[in-house]
């Protein structure tokens, strides 16, 4: 998708063991801040305005997570609305804040079309 809205609305907090300092291939530690004794958060997500340091995007135009293969578990757990057959209130709220319409089942038709590249 071309969204990235969720990466500008929510604190991204996760257990420190997800850091690449502890787990090979983990979240790049240099992109995190200590949140508390058990959790780190992505830089830029514990401040105002919120914008994850790993986000390379113009919201609603293009979006890319610069650490996608190494992103935190919480990022992997937030699905876009209807991507897997159900709405996501987090997704809908973040998109609305940016003036983007909520996604629908039709937003994913391209993925299920045999001719889709």
């Amino acid at each position: 998708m071309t969204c990235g809205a969720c990466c500008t609305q929510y604190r991204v907090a996760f257990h420190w063991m997800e850091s690449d300092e502890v787990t090979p291939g983990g979240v790049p530690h240099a992109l995190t801040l200590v949140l508390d004794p058990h959790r780190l958060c992505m830089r830029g997500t514990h401040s105002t305005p919120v914008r994850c340091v790993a986000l390379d995007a113009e919201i609603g135009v293009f979006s890319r997570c610069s650490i996608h293969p190494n992103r935190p578990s919480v990022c992997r757990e937030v699905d876009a609305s209807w991507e897997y057959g159900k709405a996501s209130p987090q997704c809908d709220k973040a998109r609305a804040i940016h003036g983007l319409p909520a996604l629908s089942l039709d937003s994913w038709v391209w993925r299920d079309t045999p001719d889709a590249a």
Side-chain angles (χ1 to χ4, degrees), residues 86-106:
K86 64 181 181 176
S88 166
Q90 287 179 296
C91 173
D92 294 345
K93 177 182 175 185
R95 289 180 62 85
I97 288 168
H98 286 280
L100 299 171
L103 298 174
S104 68
L105 281 174
D106 290 339

Side-chain angles (χ1 to χ4, degrees), residues 21-94:
E21 282 194 330
V22 180
T23 303
V27 179
H29 189 76
L31 301 182
T32 69
L33 295 172
V34 174
L35 185 60
D36 62 38
H38 301 285
R39 296 179 300 164
L40 301 174
C41 67
M42 292 300 297
R43 289 185 183 274
T45 67
H46 193 50
S47 59
T48 302
V50 172
R51 186 176 178 102
C52 182
V53 67
L55 177 63
D56 175 19
E58 182 178 336
I59 306 304
V61 178
F62 71 91
S63 178
R64 178 182 81 91
C65 174
S66 65
I67 62 165
H68 193 266
N70 308 95
R71 69 195 185 280
S73 59
V74 293
C75 298
R76 296 171 192 275
E77 293 167 2
V78 175
D79 297 327
S81 272
W82 300 105
E83 183 178 10
Y84 298 104
K86 64 181 181 176
S88 166
Q90 287 179 296
C91 173
D92 294 345
K93 177 182 175 185

